Amino acid sequence: MTLSTRMSLALGLLAVLMLAAIVHILVIFSIPGSVTHTAFSDAAAFGPDSRFNVLPDILPGREPLPDLDPAMSHAVCRFHLDEGPVRFTATIPAPFWSMGLFDASGQTIYSLNNRTAGSDTLSLLLLSPSQLSILRQNPPEDLDDLIVIETEQTEGLALLRAYLSHPVQKSELRSALNSAQCAQMDPRNQTGN
Amino acid sequence: MKTATRSHSEADFYRQDIPKMLRPSRPAPLATLLWALGILTCGTLLGIASAYLVIERDRPLQTVRIGAWEMDPTAGTEEADPYSIAIHSRGASVPLASGEGQALIARTDSSGRLLDPSCTYILSGETPAARLWTLTSTDRRGRLAETIAGRTHLSSRALLRRQDGSFEITASPRPASGNWLPLASRPQDMDGLMFKLRLYDAPVTTGAALSNAAMPVISRRSCP
């Protein structure tokens, strides 16, 4: 069988396009798994894990993490769920604040702001499915005030954003962010605090 | 007695009465190899280049456009398209989660011209309902630049409004009266211009609800 020149050129072009489409899809899907630095890994530079570390001001050329709002003050916490549920508590004197929980790849686990939190203080418990079943048998006393979130992820990043309405309040806001808690709870002793 | 004309495939190589399609081909290993290599190289290069271009352009698939503004309501969620996931993980950025707010970006003015950091723009109109919003000027990759004022943003809390609640913002490298959004003091060093509007605690964070929302109109006033 011999193909005409035009036919073989068309077939060749089709093969190129199909191969290009396959390579394109493979590249796009391989990016999330092959990036060398993520927001989760970058956040380790701001301080120890399992506590909220206040980020420096967002100034041109010195942005601590990309794509943050310069009008906000931020604190990040890297949490690990494998040693027990993590409890987030904060009292932030700002007209607006919000917290997002993200897994290590940057996908949102949960997010809330000070209106949806229902009160001025944040009090949230993040746990794995197995820790939730322990919690059901032995519920903490203040369960009614807690937002309980279950996740399959074992580690991730919490980002607290607080609106700085006036520069005068900056030190007050920073100390509130600094005293926000992101601590591991002992899974066997949730009532004892 | 007639002699039967029978076809011999070995001998019929050059018979011109058989259509070209049916004529057996002579093996040409070198040409075939070159052909296959060419297809492989071109296909791979084209695939990688197109993936790179899409990621560099920073445009996810499921964007919602409102005038000059576009947003990616599924960013950071499980419904995010693969491009959005790739863009965010490559940039190591933390998206604004849906419970926090919604970010919108403008790369062009309302007539479709690319934003230029040395020009003066007027943003007028209103925004969708939100408890708080901030407007930030960045380069086309989302990086902040030094301005005369030392700030790169404007907030809804410190905004002069008309009686009907609408506003007018002047975005310019030089100070302006009224609501001034400072642009880079050295526009020649700046890689493009982008406006980012972040709506915090907006009741409408789904794309369908936002697509018919009122957004500020961006008009170019003057260019040096």
Side-chain angles (χ1 to χ4, degrees):
Chain A
M1 188 174 91
T2 309
L3 297 177
S4 70
T5 325
R6 193 186 292 173
M7 190 67 178
S8 48
L9 269 179
L11 271 180
L13 198 68
L14 196 70
V16 165
L17 285 180
M18 282 175 72
L19 187 66
I22 293 168
V23 170
H24 179 96
I25 291 168
L26 283 181
V27 168
I28 294 291
F29 276 101
S30 71
I31 285 175
S34 64
V35 283
T36 48
H37 70 110
T38 60
F40 179 73
S41 65
D42 290 359
F46 302 111
D49 288 7
S50 297
R51 57 156 293 145
F52 273 108
N53 300 299
V54 182
L55 298 191
D57 286 347
I58 294 141
L59 296 170
R62 277 176 286 158
E63 290 133 302
L65 289 173
D67 206 24
L68 294 181
D69 190 341
M72 296 268 169
S73 293
H74 299 82
V76 288
C77 165
R78 275 159 52 107
F79 58 82
H80 302 272
L81 280 176
D82 37 12
E83 284 155 39
V86 176
R87 187 168 177 167
F88 300 89
T89 45
T91 309
I92 299 158
F96 174 87
W97 56 259
S98 67
M99 187 176 77
L101 299 174
F102 305 91
D103 67 16
S105 68
Q107 296 262 313
T108 311
I109 298 171
Y110 185 73
S111 61
L112 82 174
N113 60 56
N114 57 344
R115 187 178 58 81
T116 49
S119 68
D120 284 341
T121 56
L122 163 75
S123 159
L124 187 146
L125 189 64
L126 186 71
L127 31 69
S128 66
S130 63
Q131 288 158 357
L132 184 66
S133 50
I134 301 174
L135 179 99
R136 282 219 181 91
Q137 294 163 4
N138 188 9
E141 281 159 14
D142 55 346
L143 188 64
D144 292 348
D145 308 325
L146 271 177
I147 300 168
V148 180
I149 304 298
E150 184 192 347
T151 178
E152 302 277 335
Q153 305 293 331
T154 54
E155 55 182 12
L157 180 74
L159 180 66
L160 203 54
R161 313 174 203 250
Y163 176 63
L164 179 64
S165 49
H166 198 275
V168 172
Q169 292 161 324
K170 195 161 160 178
S171 61
E172 192 192 350
L173 196 59
R174 288 184 79 92
S175 69
L177 285 174
N178 199 36
S179 59
Q181 299 270 316
C182 162
Q184 215 126 67
M185 264 172 77
D186 185 349
R188 282 143 300 171
N189 187 22
Q190 280 148 355
T191 46
N193 53 342
Chain B
M1 205 163 161
K2 278 186 197 168
T3 329
T5 50
R6 295 189 54 221
S7 70
H8 294 279
S9 64
E10 292 298 318
D12 287 345
F13 247 95
Y14 304 108
R15 271 182 59 180
Q16 297 298 312
D17 55 328
I18 298 177
K20 204 180 174 205
M21 189 86 177
L22 299 177
R23 258 179 261 159
S25 61
R26 274 175 294 178
L30 196 64
T32 317
L33 187 70
L34 280 178
W35 193 239
L37 271 181
I39 288 174
L40 221 59
T41 320
C42 288
T44 312
L45 282 180
L46 202 64
I48 293 174
S50 59
Y52 176 79
L53 277 179
V54 171
I55 301 298
E56 273 301 288
R57 275 180 81 235
D58 211 359
R59 313 252 168 112
L61 279 185
Q62 300 164 354
T63 51
V64 178
R65 285 193 71 90
I66 316 164
W69 301 89
E70 57 189 60
M71 63 170 187
D72 179 14
T74 59
T77 65
E78 281 179 1
E79 297 98 68
D81 62 73
Y83 292 106
S84 170
I85 296 172
I87 289 166
H88 274 289
S89 47
R90 189 166 171 273
S93 66
V94 184
L96 204 56
S98 59
E100 303 184 280
Q102 180 65 55
L104 294 108
I105 51 176
R107 298 167 199 274
T108 65
D109 62 16
S110 289
S111 60
R113 274 179 301 195
L114 215 59
L115 293 176
D116 181 341
S118 58
C119 295
T120 296
Y121 291 94
I122 305 288
L123 287 85
S124 61
E126 50 196 320
T127 66
R131 194 141 58 88
L132 169 77
W133 55 258
T134 62
L135 179 69
T136 313
S137 66
T138 66
D139 73 0
R140 80 185 165 84
R141 295 179 189 280
R143 290 176 300 219
L144 302 172
E146 296 282 356
T147 65
I148 297 175
R151 64 181 166 93
T152 47
H153 67 275
L154 200 64
S155 148
S156 64
R157 297 256 166 169
L159 198 71
L160 300 168
R161 291 169 192 269
R162 299 195 198 97
Q163 285 201 326
D164 60 354
S166 67
F167 55 83
E168 190 175 286
I169 296 167
T170 309
S172 167
R174 288 160 302 281
S177 60
N179 301 309
W180 174 42
L181 175 69
L183 299 186
S185 53
R186 294 167 59 82
Q188 63 276 16
D189 296 346
M190 187 121 154
D191 182 13
L193 174 66
M194 187 165 98
F195 292 130
K196 190 149 194 165
L197 182 71
R198 293 179 175 92
L199 302 168
Y200 290 102
D201 194 11
V204 279
T205 46
T206 56
L210 266 176
S211 60
N212 32 20
M215 286 296 292
V217 172
I218 307 170
S219 46
R220 186 150 102 177
R221 170 162 288 182
S222 61
C223 279

